[in-house]
Amino acid sequence: MEEFDQVDLTAWHLTLYDGAQAVACCRIFPDGPSGQWHTGRVAVRRDRRGQGLGAFLMGEAEKAAAARGARVMALSAQAQAAGFYQKLGYTQQGETYLEEHCPHVSMEKQLPQPDLAEPAQALPPTGPTQTMEKE
């Protein structure tokens, strides 16, 4: 798998910082006209795992996508990480498959819709990098 691909040019990249240090990241992007968005390249620094950072980041990614019209969030999870996503409400879709010589499963989650009293932010032509601080 290429470290960078064409999706990176338009995806929203979310990075969670602890001070000046990036500790977790992912990208989100619309995956067709049906309101489905995709989360990918989810990563948490090895020395920071088990602290709730991944769950926090996924929640922020889901909120950002829902605010832009997402109704379903999809992802391709390494099979070993499927339990993490299941705890966040994702369900497996189909059978296990190999991607880059590693077992993966497709997963999806129905997203709650944002409060319609607050207008959704407009999506710029290219996805910006969004940074967040976890307190």
Side-chain angles (χ1 to χ4, degrees), residues 53-116:
L53 301 177
F56 177 80
L57 180 67
M58 289 298 295
E60 293 299 309
E62 292 166 5
K63 285 190 268 184
R68 289 159 181 83
R71 297 190 178 285
V72 176
M73 187 65 83
L75 55 86
S76 177
Q78 290 184 9
Q80 67 185 12
F84 166 77
Y85 294 108
Q86 286 173 332
K87 288 178 186 173
L88 299 177
Y90 287 81
T91 56
Q92 183 171 331
Q93 308 294 311
E95 299 297 319
T96 302
Y97 58 92
L98 285 180
E99 183 175 306
E100 296 296 318
H101 310 290
C102 180
H104 281 70
V105 292
S106 293
M107 302 187 85
E108 288 185 358
K109 178 180 180 178
Q110 297 293 318
L111 298 180
Q113 294 306 293
D115 183 357
L116 297 178

Side-chain angles (χ1 to χ4, degrees), residues 8-100:
D8 283 326
L9 300 175
T10 57
W12 286 74
H13 298 264
L14 290 86
T15 304
L16 180 61
Y17 285 88
D18 183 1
Q21 183 179 59
V23 294
C25 63
C26 71
R27 70 180 185 179
I28 60 173
F29 54 92
D31 194 13
S34 65
Q36 178 169 301
W37 278 53
H38 194 90
T39 303
R41 309 260 170 104
V42 179
V44 176
R45 283 180 53 103
R46 183 164 289 160
D47 63 337
R48 299 300 300 269
R49 293 179 186 164
Q51 299 175 14
L53 301 177
F56 177 80
L57 180 67
M58 289 298 295
E60 293 299 309
E62 292 166 5
K63 285 190 268 184
R68 289 159 181 83
R71 297 190 178 285
V72 176
M73 187 65 83
L75 55 86
S76 177
Q78 290 184 9
Q80 67 185 12
F84 166 77
Y85 294 108
Q86 286 173 332
K87 288 178 186 173
L88 299 177
Y90 287 81
T91 56
Q92 183 171 331
Q93 308 294 311
E95 299 297 319
T96 302
Y97 58 92
L98 285 180
E99 183 175 306
E100 296 296 318

